[in-house]
C-alpha cells in the first residue's frame, strides 16, 4: 500500500496525552515537515525506535502547535509492517485535531476504522483471528474477557486451527496422489487410516465449536434475567446485588413495568442483570406489554434467576414459570428468608438446579448467590482455548459438516474425487477463520467494528 494513513488513536476530549498515528510510505517525510527536534535548528535523520522530544510547527505559519514526543518505526519492524510514527501530544481536542490536519495537508488521509490492524493483517503481521482479538482486547469488560482475547492475539486459537488445517492438507495430498495415479487408488487399509485421521480432526473441531457458549460468556458476559410473580422481590434483589437503589421498590405489586438493565462484575466475568415485570394472569394492558417484554428477555437470557417468595404459598403462576424456563440455565432464589418460611424447597421439584435462599431486604445471601452464578456460568479454565466469536463457530461447524460428509464417502467407498472435494470445502471454511481465504466484504465487515486509530 503506497498511501499514508493518519488518525487520532486516543479518545477525543481533555486528557493528559493525545496519541496520533501515521502509517505508510510517506510517514517519515510528513514527520520531517512538521516535527522539529528540541534544541536543533537543522533537521536530523531520525533513528527508529527512539523517543524524540520536540515541537510540532505549522510549516505555513511557523507557529508552534505543541510540544510532543515522537517515535518512528521503520518497516517491517512495526505493527503494520510499514513505516509508522506515533506522536504523543497534550490531550486536548483542539491541539490533536490541528496536528491531524497538518498530516492530512501533507498527503496523509484519514484512516478508516480498524485500518491500522487491517494493514497488519494484509501485510502478514497477524492472521485474521488475531486481528479480531485486538478489538476484543479493547472492548474487554472483565479479566476473563481480557485473558481470552490476549490468548487469541498470541495465537492460541490460530495454533489449534492451523494444526487441523495442516492435517487436512496432508489428507488431501494423499487423495490427490490417488487421483493422479488412478491405477493405484486408495487401498482398503489406506481408507481406514484416512477415516481415523478425519474422525480425529472432526472430534477436535466439534470440541472447539462446543466451547463457543463459554467463550461468548467470556467475551460478552452473561445476560441474567430476574423473573417471578409480582412482589416477590425482583427489584429489591437487583438493588441488593448492585448495592444501590437503582430499581424502584414499593409494597404494591406490578411496580416494574419495563425492563431495567444493570451490569456488575462477578470475579472475572461480567453479568448484565435484567429486572422485568412480574408474571400473573389477567394483566392490565400496560402490564401485559411489560410481561411480553419480560418473556422476550427470558428467551434471550443466558441465565434465568427464578425468584420465589418463601413467605407466601406457591401458586399456579410459580409452577407455570418453572415449566416455562425448564430448558434454560437457571438458579432458583427463595427470597424473604428473614420471614417465616411457608413451604419446603422440595416443592419446587427443580432437580439438579441450584437453589439459594436470600433476603434482598436484609442483604443476606448475596455473596452465596453471586458465587453460585459464577460457578454455574464461568467454570472453564482460563487456559482453555475457546471460540469467542459467532463467525468462528459458524466456520468450524461448516467445516465439521464437510468432514462428516467425508466420512460417509469413505465408508461408502466413493471415489477419491468426492472425498477430496469435501476435504477442500472443510479447508476453505477453516482458512476463512485465519484469513488464508477471504473476500473483501468479509474484511470490511470485521474491521468496521474497530475504533478509528486502531
Amino acid at each position: 500500500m503506497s498511501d499514508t494513513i493518519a488518525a487520532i488513536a486516543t479518545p477525543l476530549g481533555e486528557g493528559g496525552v493525545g496519541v496520533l498515528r501515521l502509517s505508510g510510505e510517506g510517514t517519515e517525510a510528513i514527520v520531517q515537515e512538521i516535527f522539529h527536534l528540541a534544541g536543533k535548528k537543522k533537521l536530523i535523520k531520525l533513528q527508529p525506535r527512539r523517543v524524540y522530544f520536540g515541537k510540532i510547527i505549522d510549516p505555513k505559519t511557523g507557529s508552534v502547535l505543541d510540544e510532543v514526543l515522537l517515535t518512528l518505526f521503520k518497516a517491517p519492524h512495526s505493527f503494520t509492517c510499514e513505516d509508522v510514527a506515533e506522536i504523543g501530544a497534550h490531550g486536548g481536542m483542539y491541539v490533536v485535531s490541528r496536528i491531524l490536519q497538518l498530516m492530512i495537508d501533507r498527503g496523509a488521509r484519514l484512516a478508516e476504522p480498524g485500518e491500522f490492524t487491517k494493514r497488519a493483517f494484509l501485510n502478514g503481521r497477524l492472521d485474521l483471528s488475531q486481528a479480531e482479538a485486538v478489538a476484543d482486547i479493547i472492548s474487554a469488560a472483565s479479566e476473563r474477557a481480557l485473558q481470552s482475547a490476549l490468548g487469541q492475539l498470541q495465537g492460541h486459537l490460530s495454533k489449534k486451527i492451523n494444526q487441523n488445517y495442516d492435517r487436512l492438507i496432508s489428507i488431501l495430498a494423499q487423495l490427490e496422489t490417488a487421483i493422479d495415479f488412478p491405477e493405484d487408488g486408495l487401498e482398503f487399509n489406506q481408507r481406514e487410516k484416512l477415516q481415523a485421521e478425519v474422525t480425529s480432526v472432526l472430534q477436535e473441531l466439534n470440541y472447539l465449536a462446543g466451547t463457543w457458549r463459554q467463550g461468548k460468556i467470556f467475551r460478552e458476559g452473561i445476560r441474567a434475567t430476574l423473573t417471578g410473580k409480582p412482589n416477590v422481590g425482583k427489584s429489591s434483589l437487583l438493588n441488593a446485588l448492585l448495592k444501590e437503589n437503582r430499581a424502584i421498590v414499593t409494597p404494591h405489586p406490578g411496580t416494574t413495568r419495563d425492563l431495567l438493565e444493570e451490569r456488575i462484575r462477578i470475579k472475572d466475568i461480567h453479568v448484565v442483570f435484567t429486572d422485568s415485570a412480574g408474571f400473573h394472569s389477567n394483566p392490565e394492558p400496560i402490564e401485559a406489554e411489560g410481561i411480553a417484554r419480560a418473556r422476550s428477555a427470558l428467551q434471550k437470557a443466558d441465565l434465568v434467576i427464578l425468584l420465589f417468595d418463601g413467605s407466601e404459598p406457591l401458586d399456579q403462576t410459580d409452577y407455570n414459570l418453572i415449566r416455562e424456563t425448564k430448558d434454560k440455565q437457571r438458579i432458583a432464589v427463595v427470597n424473604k428468608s428473614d420471614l417465616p418460611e411457608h413451604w419446603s424447597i422440595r416443592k419446587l421439584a427443580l432437580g439438579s438446579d441450584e437453589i439459594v435462599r436470600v433476603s434482598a431486604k436484609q442483604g443476606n445471601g448475596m455473596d452465596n448467590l453471586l458465587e453460585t452464578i459464577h460457578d454455574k456460568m464461568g467454570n472453564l479454565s482460563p487456559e482453555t482455548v475457546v471460540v469467542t466469536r459467532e463467525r468462528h463457530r459458524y466456520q468450524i461447524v461448516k467445516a465439521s459438516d464437510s468432514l462428516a460428509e467425508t466420512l460417509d464417502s469413505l465408508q461408502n467407498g466413493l471415489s477419491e474425487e468426492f472425498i477430496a472435494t469435501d476435504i477442500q470445502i472443510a479447508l476453505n471454511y477453516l482458512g476463512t477463520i485465519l484469513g488464508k481465504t477471504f473476500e473483501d466484504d468479509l474484511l470490511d465487515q470485521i474491521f468496521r467494528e474497530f475504533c478509528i486509530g486502531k
Side-chain angles (χ1 to χ4, degrees), residues 13 35 57 137 178 181 227 279 374 383 388 391 415:
F35 177 78
I57 297 179
I137 289 173
F181 300 97
T227 192
F279 284 79
H374 184 273
E383 288 78 28
T388 60
R391 185 182 80 84
S415 67

Side-chain angles (χ1 to χ4, degrees), residues 127-262:
D127 68 37
L128 196 52
S129 70
Q130 290 174 302
E132 289 170 297
V134 174
D136 290 344
I137 289 173
I138 294 171
S139 63
S142 68
E143 182 66 22
R144 187 65 66 90
L146 176 60
Q147 293 303 318
S148 178
L150 283 172
Q152 187 168 314
L153 179 62
Q154 292 163 6
H156 295 174
L157 177 63
S158 301
K159 182 179 179 181
K160 283 282 188 183
I161 299 297
N162 269 312
Q163 286 173 346
N164 289 289
Y165 187 93
D166 291 343
R167 291 170 71 183
L168 293 180
I169 287 289
S170 178
I171 293 171
L172 185 61
Q174 297 178 57
L175 292 167
E176 295 289 355
T177 300
I179 293 170
D180 291 341
F181 300 97
E183 65 277 6
D184 297 327
L186 285 176
E187 298 177 359
F188 179 75
N189 64 333
Q190 290 177 308
R191 282 181 174 261
E192 281 193 325
K193 289 180 180 178
L194 286 182
Q195 184 173 329
E197 184 70 2
V198 171
T199 299
S200 176
V201 174
L202 179 58
Q203 288 173 344
E204 287 207 28
L205 293 183
N206 284 338
Y207 171 79
L208 275 178
T211 67
W212 177 76
R213 177 178 167 274
Q214 196 74 41
K216 181 174 180 286
I217 289 172
F218 290 174
R219 179 170 177 259
E220 301 177 10
I222 299 167
R223 300 196 68 85
T225 296
L226 308 177
T227 192
K229 294 184 303 186
N231 215 30
V232 293
K234 297 184 296 298
S235 297
S236 296
L237 181 61
L238 179 64
N239 289 340
L241 290 168
L242 297 174
K243 297 182 179 179
E244 63 175 286
N245 292 325
R246 182 65 182 86
I248 297 174
V249 177
T250 75
H252 305 291
T255 301
T256 301
R257 301 292 182 91
D258 206 348
L259 302 180
L260 175 63
E261 290 190 351
E262 291 290 338

